[in-house]
């Protein structure tokens, strides 16, 4: 875990944002399946480099299944899995993989980038809450799932499959209330730390590109150009 954190600390906030932007561009403009798969493979290499082995494997499995079903099963008329849903997964998995790194780096790196861009404080506050909300609410969902298991609501797969609405009710309702509370807490924490102070702020984190940033962005841009021109 410490080694993973040391590696992720070498990644800058600006590089993460640019990588996400590049991934969105690839997802929108790439028409060739092989080039699209090549860029997914490059993102998997990045995730593995920073120590996210399970996440990389998860994305590879999802992407492989989605691409196989779209290319092989849909043309044969097997459509019991929605083609629209598969198409959304195929398009969105690339920016999601890049955004995963953005959510893993310290939020201070992103705040430093936003401050360098001279964004209004209200916009910075909103972006900060959004960036911190997703990983925080993910932890809350794990807590709710453990509470459900202790109370016997998810004791078996059979119970979950045969009572999906009841299971969703037990999971979604607490998650909604926790989301409201977490959003308020994140906003309050940002205000206490002086996010609304109109004076010029300095950051502990630098916005300069590191060697890792340059290598990742250079290869990503080259792949993006190849994906668009192919």
């Amino acid at each position: 875990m410490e080694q993973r954190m040391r590696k992720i600390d070498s990644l800058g906030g600006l590089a993460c944002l640019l990588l996400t932007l590049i991934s969105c561009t690839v997802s929108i403009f790439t028409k060739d399946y092989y080039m699209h798969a090549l860029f997914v493979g490059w993102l998997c290499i990045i995730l593995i480099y920073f120590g996210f082995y399970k996440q990389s494997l998860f994305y590879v499995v999802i992407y492989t299944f989605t691409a196989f079903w779209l290319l092989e099963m849909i043309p044969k008329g097997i459509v019991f899995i929605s083609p629209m849903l598969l198409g959304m997964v195929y398009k969105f998995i690339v920016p999601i993989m890049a955004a995963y790194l953005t959510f893993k780096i310290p939020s201070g790196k992103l705040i430093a980038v936003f401050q360098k861009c001279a964004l209004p404080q209200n916009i910075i506050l909103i972006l900060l809450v959004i960036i911190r909300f997703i990983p925080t609410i993910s932890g809350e969902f794990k807590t709710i799932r453990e509470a459900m298991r202790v109370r016997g609501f998810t004791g078996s797969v059979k119970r979950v499959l045969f009572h999906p609405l009841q299971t969703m009710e037990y999971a979604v309702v607490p998650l909604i209330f926790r989301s409201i509370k977490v959003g308020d807490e994140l906003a309050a924490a940002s205000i206490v730390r002086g996010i609304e102070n109109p004076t010029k702020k300095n950051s502990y984190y630098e916005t300069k590109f590191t060697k890792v940033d340059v290598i990742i962005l250079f290869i990503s841009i080259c792949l993006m150009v190849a994906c668009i021109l192919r």
Side-chain angles (χ1 to χ4, degrees):
M1 178 63 71
E2 293 181 359
Q3 184 179 3
R4 178 191 299 179
M5 293 306 298
R6 284 197 299 269
K7 281 189 175 182
I8 201 68
D9 285 341
S10 64
L11 187 63
L14 183 58
C16 284
L17 294 176
L18 291 176
L19 180 62
T20 304
L21 180 61
I22 292 171
S23 300
C24 292
T25 304
V26 169
S27 179
I28 294 172
F29 294 103
T30 302
K31 304 299 181 183
D32 188 87
Y33 286 103
Y34 295 104
M35 295 303 298
H36 193 271
L38 178 62
F39 196 85
V40 171
W42 165 239
L43 292 177
C44 287
I45 292 174
I46 296 175
L47 290 175
I48 292 173
Y49 173 78
F50 289 109
F52 300 109
Y53 307 105
K54 294 181 180 179
Q55 292 80 1
S56 177
L57 178 61
F58 172 77
Y59 288 127
V60 166
V61 171
I62 295 297
Y63 180 80
T64 303
F65 174 80
T66 302
F68 170 78
W69 203 274
L70 287 172
L71 294 175
E72 298 294 334
M73 309 304 287
I74 297 298
K76 296 178 181 178
I78 304 176
V79 294
F80 64 87
I81 300 180
S82 172
M84 182 179 296
L85 176 61
L86 293 174
M88 290 178 61
V89 173
Y90 178 82
K91 282 294 184 181
F92 282 105
I93 194 169
V94 173
I96 287 175
M97 292 175 69
Y100 181 83
L101 287 174
T102 304
F103 291 121
K104 285 299 180 180
I105 65 174
S107 57
K109 291 187 176 183
L110 299 176
I111 296 174
V113 175
F114 297 147
Q115 289 174 345
K116 286 289 185 179
C117 296
L119 292 175
Q121 295 298 324
N122 292 334
I123 301 298
I124 295 178
L125 176 59
I126 293 172
L127 293 174
L128 174 62
V129 172
I130 292 174
I131 291 170
R132 295 303 305 160
F133 179 81
I134 295 179
T136 303
I137 208 63
S138 176
E140 293 292 336
F141 182 75
K142 292 180 181 179
T143 303
I144 293 172
R145 187 174 59 185
E146 289 296 326
M148 291 174 62
R149 184 178 293 110
V150 170
R151 290 168 173 80
F153 295 133
T154 57
S156 64
V157 177
K158 180 180 178 181
R159 182 183 180 89
V160 174
L161 293 177
F162 283 91
H163 302 281
L165 295 180
Q166 188 181 39
T167 303
M168 287 293 294
E169 178 185 357
Y170 293 145
V172 172
V173 174
L175 188 61
I176 291 174
F177 284 99
R178 286 299 302 166
S179 299
I180 297 173
K181 185 176 181 181
V182 167
D184 292 339
E185 289 175 351
L186 289 174
S190 301
I191 294 172
V192 169
R193 293 177 182 178
I195 192 68
E196 292 185 335
N197 193 325
T199 59
K200 183 179 180 180
K201 301 178 180 64
N202 296 320
S203 177
Y204 171 79
Y205 299 98
E206 295 183 352
T207 56
K208 297 179 180 179
F209 287 120
T210 64
K211 292 181 180 180
V212 175
D213 296 340
V214 173
I215 294 173
I216 291 177
L217 290 178
F218 176 76
I219 298 176
S220 299
I221 292 173
C222 291
L223 289 176
M224 178 188 69
V225 173
C227 290
I228 295 175
L229 297 180
R230 181 64 180 266

